[in-house]
């Protein structure tokens, strides 16, 4: 079992306030972090422009997500860092004593954490901060604000700006998923490896090829065809997630009777 405590991200969040947070500092605690963000999440959103390179590392699928009881579930495009059953595991690219081995190739959702730009009702961009992260302090780290008018360029350039870019990119993601839903292309699928079966929602290639030529041409012009095949190729990354899970749980291997997991 992992010695990392049970945790969630974004349990304590606040909008960055120039008065309240004027003395706030932050630093990444890296391998010494008692509540590592690389252990907590199972999945995260994907920007449309990220699909090509993230498909090399993670399975990218379309889970049905329901945020509240009064809202219907809807499809989103997410990547998975680990199997949802792997409660003691970290992201497969977290190296003990080193940190993330992906460098600049890691997802934008990772790059921006614990900062998260959001849009208010007027369209202004505000900065949400996740105070769940133990890297915040009034004593140690880099100051987040240099003045009431200026944010520390270190955080602005390397954390907030990637998040702002992601907000713009995710609008294209939304339109992409909306098109897949409109043409009923998202269907249940299964990936089986070493006795582990993972169920998910993916694009049905046969249904895609049966679309009218006018729709396929439109998909091609928008870059959707390329994105779909990056997504389909990404499913083979479930091998890495399953291998990581079985390394920690070798007793779960059963080649004769597959174990089914559904993210």
């Amino acid at each position: 079992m992992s010695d990392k405590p049970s945790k969630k991200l974004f349990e304590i969040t606040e909008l960055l306030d120039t008065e309240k947070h004027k003395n706030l500092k932050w630093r990444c605690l890296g391998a010494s972090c008692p509540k590592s963000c690389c252990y907590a999440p199972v999945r995260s959103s994907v920007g449309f422009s990220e699909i090509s390179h993230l498909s090399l590392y993670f399975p990218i699928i379309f889970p049905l997500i329901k945020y509240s009881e009064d809202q219907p579930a809807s499809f989103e495009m997410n990547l998975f860092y680990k199997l949802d059953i792997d409660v003691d595991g970290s992201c497969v690219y977290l190296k003990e004593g080193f940190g993330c081995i992906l460098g600049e190739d890691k997802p934008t959702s990772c790059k921006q954490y614990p900062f998260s730009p959001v849009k208010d009702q007027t369209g202004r961009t505000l900065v949400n901060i996740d105070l769940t992260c133990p890297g915040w302090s009034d004593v140690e780290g880099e100051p987040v604000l240099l003045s009431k008018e200026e944010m520390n360029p270190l955080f602005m350039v390397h954390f907030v700006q990637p998040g702002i870019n992601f907000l713009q990119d995710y609008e294209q993601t939304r339109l992409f998923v909306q098109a897949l839903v409109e043409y009923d292309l998202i269907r249940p699928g299964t990936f089986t490896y070493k006795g582990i079966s993972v169920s998910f929602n993916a694009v049905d290639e046969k249904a895609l090829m049966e679309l009218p030529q006018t729709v396929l041409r439109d998909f091609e012009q928008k870059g959707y065809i390329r994105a779909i095949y990056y997504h389909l190729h990404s499913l083979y990354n479930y091998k890495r997630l399953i291998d990581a899970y079985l390394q920690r749980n070798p007793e779960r291997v059963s080649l004769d009777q597959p174990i089914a997991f559904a993210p």
Side-chain angles (χ1 to χ4, degrees):
M1 296 287 287
S2 166
D3 59 358
K4 292 287 181 181
S6 175
K7 65 198 75 68
K8 291 182 180 179
L9 303 183
F10 300 104
E11 288 185 306
I12 310 170
T13 63
E14 292 182 2
L15 289 175
L16 187 62
D17 184 279
T18 55
E19 186 57 39
K20 182 178 181 180
H21 302 123
K22 61 184 178 182
N23 297 319
L24 190 64
K25 297 178 174 62
W26 183 82
R27 64 189 176 109
C28 179
L29 301 181
S32 64
C33 181
K35 197 171 185 179
S36 173
C37 53
C38 300
Y39 274 80
V42 171
R43 59 180 173 83
S44 75
S45 299
V46 183
F48 189 78
S49 69
E50 295 186 287
I51 300 174
S52 58
H53 80 268
L54 292 181
S55 68
L56 299 174
Y57 306 111
F58 304 96
I60 297 173
I61 60 174
F62 300 92
L64 265 174
I65 298 174
K66 188 173 185 176
Y67 289 103
S68 64
E69 287 303 317
D70 57 350
Q71 288 184 335
S74 59
F75 287 108
E76 291 195 7
M77 185 169 68
N78 283 189
L79 61 81
F80 276 71
Y81 300 102
K82 59 181 181 178
L83 299 182
D84 65 330
I85 195 73
D86 197 359
V87 294
D88 295 314
S90 65
C91 171
V92 290
Y93 297 102
L94 178 65
K95 183 178 179 180
E96 183 108 16
F98 176 82
C100 179
I101 64 175
L102 292 184
E104 283 303 305
D105 272 355
K106 61 186 171 185
T108 302
S109 55
C110 299
K111 292 178 182 177
Q112 69 181 28
Y113 187 79
F115 300 86
S116 180
V118 294
K119 295 278 189 182
D120 69 5
Q121 293 181 336
T122 67
R124 289 186 309 159
T125 300
L126 306 175
V127 178
N128 208 28
I129 54 176
D130 182 9
L131 296 176
T132 314
C133 172
W136 301 105
S137 170
D138 288 334
V139 180
E140 296 182 290
E142 287 281 337
V144 176
L145 297 168
L146 299 185
S147 69
K148 286 189 175 183
E149 291 77 31
E150 186 182 6
M151 187 176 189
N152 189 328
L154 171 68
F155 298 122
M156 189 66 206
V157 172
H158 296 289
F159 294 82
V160 178
Q161 191 57 55
I164 293 173
N165 296 341
F166 180 80
L167 284 179
Q168 299 168 343
D169 194 24
Y170 196 72
E171 175 60 19
Q172 193 170 0
T173 304
R174 187 187 65 79
L175 294 174
F176 172 54
V177 175
Q178 184 176 300
L180 299 180
V181 172
E182 179 183 349
Y183 290 101
D184 191 28
L185 296 178
I186 300 178
R187 311 282 177 85
T190 304
F191 186 90
T192 302
Y193 174 66
K194 291 187 177 179
I196 303 291
S197 291
V198 184
S199 298
F200 47 76
N201 296 314
V203 172
D204 186 311
E205 188 176 8
K206 183 175 182 292
L208 174 68
M209 292 298 97
E210 291 174 350
L211 290 177
Q213 287 299 312
T214 53
V215 176
L216 288 173
R217 282 196 294 270
D218 181 57
F219 271 30
E220 179 67 36
Q221 290 173 356
K222 291 178 177 176
Y224 290 177
I225 298 294
R226 184 182 300 108
I228 288 169
Y229 279 100
Y230 280 130
H231 144 66
L232 292 174
H233 175 74
S234 80
L235 299 179
Y236 290 97
N237 288 308
Y238 267 117
K239 288 185 177 182
R240 303 184 194 202
L241 275 60
I242 292 171
D243 279 337
Y245 172 75
L246 291 178
Q247 188 175 1
R248 284 183 288 273
N249 303 272
E251 74 283 357
R252 301 304 298 267
V253 178
S254 174
L255 296 178
D256 296 327
Q257 297 182 343
I259 305 168
F261 299 144

